[in-house]
Amino acid sequence: MPHFPHRLNAMSAEPSSTECAAAASDSVRVFLKKRKAQPFFGRHPWVFAGAIDRIETEGQGTDGILPGTPAELWSHEGRFIAHGLVNPHSNIRMRLYSWEQARPIGTDLFRDRIRYAVELRRGLFDLRSDSTGCRLIFSESDQLSGLTVDLYSGFLLVQFTSLALYEHRQPILESLTAELSPRGIWLRTEKGMREAERLEAVDGLIAGEEPPRPLFIEEHGVQYGVDVQQGQKTGSYLDQRDNRLAAARYTSGHRVLDAFCFSGGFGITAVKLGGAVSVLGLDSSESALTLASANAELNSVADRCEFRRGDVHEVLAELAEQGRVFDTVILDPPRMARTRGGLPRAIKGYLRLNTAALRVLRPGGMLVTCSCSGLLPMTDFQEVVGEVSRSTGRTIQVLEKRTQPADHPVAVTCPESEYLKMLICRVD
């Protein structure tokens, strides 16, 4: 194991308030309202504030409960359900991690969860390779709700979306280090977590070497430069790895429009592996397009790739007015629905976007349309495309339905973990 500088070691110099609380986790019990226990007996990990009847403590009072305090979840009738961590500031008031009463939350649990998650990825990738990029820990799907860890060329990108779990970061980081001996660990924070969780973490180096900008990974023979320090998400959209290859199979001889192209993954793969004759990539981020151009050069396809900055909706309208048509249009927009209340607006957004795409797609062309909104199931997303077909009068055939790859597994007890949807369609 490499020696990490004092910055990581200093984190364990004295116990945190939540570590002290862990010694008396049975002193905090969260009781559910009547008829609210079924999802949690079924191992769904999120306990929303509205499902909780009361919190009982031994003498400390509920006002003194700190984020990250271990607690037991009990049914209204007095049956133990699970061990979890409490965040009094979050709408997800408690996240669950162990359904065995004799297995409380602690270092051993974190170590075993991390080891089990990494074991899966070792069977899928060469984790020692300098060209590997993959997801090592996928939050709820790996029984570590609120933690995402990606591997890029020997560096770990760690992202917490739970303040409660962040308060236990020391044993988590130590377990990651022991299991993987990374070159360095970099912390990334997701937009909106300060408001949702009161999580105030600063992006930056936690341990080891600072990752270079860019570093390089390879997917199916395509090379990518990745900016893990400031790029979107944790630096790359690893979840579209296999979908990029699948879409490319339909693009031989095609003129491709790659909307929301980010670092050029879909378009570059279509040219290099699929035989597309040209790609126009659209994105609103100048830094993303700079990286996309560099990736096109890296893969020796720059002469067939053009990248343009602008609002995708505005550019699609402009292209339609000019009479431009493409043989394949790829849509991979950002997540449109973060809450159930936002679903109606998201559905309208997908309808508008896919309708606009058909205006620049030739008859018999290919529409590759994606959604990463976990609250929108595949059946509803396909119905959106069906409504686009009805409203435009164009017949749409779905050739493939695809989702996320194996390093982004789906927890069957948490349907929200199946978030990525892609339809490969033929349009008359």
Side-chain angles (χ1 to χ4, degrees), residues 219 224 236-238 240-248 265-266 269:
E219 296 178 356
Y224 295 103
S236 179
Y237 290 96
L238 297 169
Q240 293 283 28
R241 177 193 308 108
D242 296 338
N243 292 339
R244 287 189 273 266
L245 180 63
F266 272 105
T269 304

Side-chain angles (χ1 to χ4, degrees), residues 4-75:
F4 282 150
H6 70 281
R7 195 167 177 185
L8 177 56
N9 297 333
M11 296 170 67
S12 59
E14 56 185 62
S16 68
S17 57
T18 49
E19 287 174 324
C20 295
S25 61
D26 58 350
S27 67
V28 180
R29 291 187 176 186
V30 177
F31 286 86
L32 295 166
K33 294 178 180 177
K34 290 182 179 180
R35 295 182 293 277
K36 293 291 186 181
Q38 183 177 351
F40 313 112
F41 278 120
R43 297 198 167 205
H44 197 287
W46 302 338
V47 183
F48 287 92
I52 295 174
D53 178 52
R54 67 189 188 280
I55 300 177
E56 294 185 356
T57 64
E58 291 186 0
Q60 58 180 308
T62 57
D63 291 341
I65 295 177
L66 299 172
T69 297
E72 293 181 349
L73 183 68
W74 289 70
S75 71

Side-chain angles (χ1 to χ4, degrees), residues 43-324:
R43 297 198 167 205
H44 197 287
W46 302 338
V47 183
F48 287 92
I52 295 174
D53 178 52
R54 67 189 188 280
I55 300 177
E56 294 185 356
T57 64
E58 291 186 0
Q60 58 180 308
T62 57
D63 291 341
I65 295 177
L66 299 172
T69 297
E72 293 181 349
L73 183 68
W74 289 70
S75 71
H76 190 271
E77 295 75 23
R79 291 177 60 194
F80 170 83
I81 300 175
H83 292 283
L85 300 176
V86 176
N87 181 359
H89 308 307
S90 174
N91 192 34
I92 303 179
R93 194 57 49 89
M94 186 178 185
R95 293 177 188 254
L96 306 180
Y97 298 94
S98 171
W99 281 260
E100 300 174 52
Q101 192 165 11
R103 191 86 195 278
I105 296 170
T107 299
D108 289 348
L109 182 71
F110 293 135
R111 183 195 61 229
D112 292 347
R113 292 278 193 268
I114 289 168
R115 182 173 296 164
Y116 190 66
V118 173
E119 180 184 331
L120 168 66
R121 281 68 176 188
R122 282 204 173 103
L124 300 172
F125 306 93
D126 180 0
L127 301 186
R128 297 168 298 179
S129 171
D130 285 341
S131 63
T132 295
C134 73
R135 177 143 296 177
L136 288 175
I137 296 175
F138 185 38
S139 197
E140 289 77 21
S141 292
D142 286 304
Q143 304 179 79
L144 286 167
S145 178
L147 175 67
T148 297
V149 180
D150 287 342
L151 172 73
Y152 294 99
S153 300
F155 291 89
L156 298 185
L157 276 294
V158 177
Q159 187 174 72
F160 288 93
T161 55
S162 162
L163 172 58
L165 193 64
Y166 179 74
E167 293 297 323
H168 295 263
R169 61 194 178 277
Q170 177 61 30
I172 291 171
L173 295 170
E174 289 176 349
S175 295
L176 286 168
T177 300
E179 188 67 27
L180 293 153
S181 299
R183 295 170 60 187
I185 302 177
W186 188 271
L187 179 68
R188 290 291 300 266
T189 52
E190 184 175 324
K191 183 180 179 181
M193 285 304 102
R194 179 174 295 181
E195 295 77 12
E197 290 278 320
R198 293 197 188 177
L199 174 56
E200 298 187 10
V202 179
D203 290 7
L205 185 67
I206 296 177
E209 304 172 30
E210 184 172 314
R213 301 180 62 190
L215 49 73
F216 297 92
I217 62 172
E218 182 175 318
E219 296 178 356
H220 304 300
V222 180
Q223 290 78 43
Y224 295 103
V226 179
D227 185 354
V228 298
Q229 295 190 27
Q230 294 187 7
Q232 297 177 27
K233 293 291 184 180
T234 61
S236 179
Y237 290 96
L238 297 169
D239 52 2
Q240 293 283 28
R241 177 193 308 108
D242 296 338
N243 292 339
R244 287 189 273 266
L245 180 63
R249 290 197 292 264
Y250 296 90
T251 61
S252 179
H254 282 202
R255 297 158 297 169
V256 175
L257 176 65
D258 183 6
F260 308 98
C261 68
F262 183 47
S263 58
F266 272 105
I268 292 171
T269 304
V271 171
K272 185 169 183 176
L273 302 183
V277 297
S278 66
V279 169
L280 173 60
L282 307 178
D283 205 281
S284 61
S285 168
E286 186 67 42
S287 60
L289 294 178
T290 298
L291 193 54
S293 296
N295 285 335
E297 292 278 357
L298 182 65
N299 288 278
S300 303
V301 296
D303 59 326
R304 285 177 282 169
C305 295
E306 176 189 353
F307 297 103
R308 178 175 171 183
R309 184 182 182 187
D311 178 271
V312 167
H313 291 281
E314 293 177 1
V315 177
L316 284 174
E318 181 182 329
L319 293 171
E321 290 176 4
Q322 294 171 354
R324 291 277 302 274

